Amino acid sequence: MENRRDERISKLTHALKRTDKIHLKEAARLLGVSEMTIRRDMSEESAGVVLLGGYVVSNLRHHQHHYFVSDQQSQNVARKRRLAEVAAGLIQADDILFFDCGTTMPWIIDAIPDELPFTAICCAMNTFIALKEKPACRVLLSGGEFSADNAIFMPLGPVSLLETLCPDKAFISAAGIDVSQGVTCYNLNELPIKHQALQRAGTSILVADSTKYNKVLPARIGDLSLFDMLISDLPPSPSTELSRQLAEHQVQLAVADD
């Protein structure tokens, strides 16, 4: 059973899935305790968060042997925000949406107007935390076994929430886009729900910044032809095979403005 310290550390860890750092004063306000209490909580080596320069941040050493979604949240933040604004602009009132587990997803959700009504299906803790802050959103969390590395819930049986729903749009994240290997990600356990979302969605939208071009990660999502749109911060060079494949498969490219 968790003690109070563990509960506080857990709340801070969850909060850091949406941002790269939390000021000590804000952390104290969030938890309803003193700054000294938080300092004591993080003095133990087992803490998954640490105090750095007056800010609470993820303890990367604590997760050094794994891909951990909160470790990736602070990477390429400016790009993620730009991509998020483009993605959020595609959402219409009363849409049914699927949000994947990538670290860009909370930025997309934050960019959706609070007054816009929509239904959201999600399978990841960081996405759920962002969605529950949207007052006009109906949130459906796909359950199952929790994976700490990428903070997703994996269905335990053959039937998942997406078997009974057809989203208007599915926002899918990726860590690599390659002309020969297609679209890839870090974790094999993400593939089943990504594949279901791609099968059920009316429009499948790949959200990946240009640092993902020409990269291959272990888990293969599939060919570029599975997607209707790619949202990125830069287009592939016109003369490249990647650019040709996007055109050949009629994948619409939406480029975020600087």
Side-chain angles (χ1 to χ4, degrees):
M1 181 179 294
E2 284 189 331
N3 58 33
R4 290 183 178 179
R5 173 190 175 270
D6 291 337
E7 290 175 355
R8 290 191 292 268
I9 293 296
S10 179
K11 286 181 180 179
L12 290 174
T13 300
H14 290 163
L16 285 168
K17 289 176 172 51
R18 297 184 59 196
T19 185
D20 59 327
K21 59 185 178 182
I22 304 172
H23 196 278
L24 180 60
K25 289 183 179 179
E26 175 62 20
R29 187 199 63 77
L30 176 67
L31 299 178
V33 297
S34 68
E35 294 179 25
M36 183 57 67
T37 295
I38 295 178
R39 290 181 184 274
R40 283 198 300 266
D41 285 348
M42 289 185 288
S43 65
E44 298 185 23
E45 292 183 2
S46 60
V49 294
V50 294
L51 192 62
L52 184 65
Y55 288 89
V56 179
V57 299
S58 292
N59 186 352
L60 300 185
R61 289 185 179 181
H62 188 69
H63 308 297
Q64 63 184 347
H65 300 301
H66 302 280
Y67 167 83
F68 199 77
V69 67
S70 60
D71 295 346
Q72 301 295 316
Q73 188 67 40
S74 62
Q75 303 298 314
N76 301 315
V77 168
R79 288 191 181 98
K80 289 173 182 176
R81 283 177 173 158
R82 299 205 304 273
L83 270 58
E85 291 173 359
V86 173
L90 301 173
I91 298 170
Q92 299 177 331
D94 301 317
D95 268 351
I96 299 176
L97 308 169
F98 171 78
F99 290 99
D100 201 5
C101 58
T103 54
T104 304
M105 298 298 148
W107 296 109
I108 297 175
I109 295 161
D110 286 345
I112 301 171
D114 285 349
E115 67 275 9
L116 188 72
F118 66 99
T119 297
I121 309 160
C122 64
C123 62
M125 183 65 74
N126 65 332
T127 310
F128 173 75
I129 289 171
L131 286 166
K132 72 181 182 65
E133 300 299 322
K134 292 295 171 179
C137 175
R138 180 190 180 201
V139 187
L140 304 176
L141 176 62
S142 180
E145 181 180 0
F146 183 70
S147 169
D149 285 1
N150 49 355
I152 70 169
F153 293 90
M154 301 172 292
L156 293 176
V159 178
S160 74
L161 188 60
L162 280 169
E163 288 290 346
T164 59
L165 292 169
C166 296
D168 296 294
K169 302 176 182 75
F171 294 96
I172 305 294
S173 63
I177 303 175
D178 181 74
V179 293
S180 58
Q181 297 294 351
V183 183
T184 56
C185 63
Y186 284 94
N187 295 291
L188 289 170
N189 63 3
E190 298 175 19
L191 295 182
I193 198 161
K194 287 179 190 283
H195 290 162
Q196 280 192 325
L198 288 168
Q199 290 173 354
R200 300 295 183 193
T203 302
S204 298
I205 303 166
L206 177 60
V207 184
D209 64 66
S210 58
T211 66
K212 311 302 190 297
Y213 295 165
N214 305 313
K215 287 188 177 180
V216 178
L217 279 298
R220 187 174 188 272
I221 301 169
D223 295 331
L224 270 171
S225 58
L226 293 173
F227 298 91
D228 300 297
M229 177 181 290
L230 166 63
I231 298 177
S232 192
D233 59 314
L234 292 171
S237 298
S239 59
T240 62
E241 179 66 15
L242 181 56
S243 181
R244 188 194 67 78
Q245 279 198 13
L246 289 171
E248 178 183 338
H249 297 305
Q250 297 182 328
V251 180
Q252 182 181 350
L253 179 63
V255 177
D257 295 330
D258 291 333

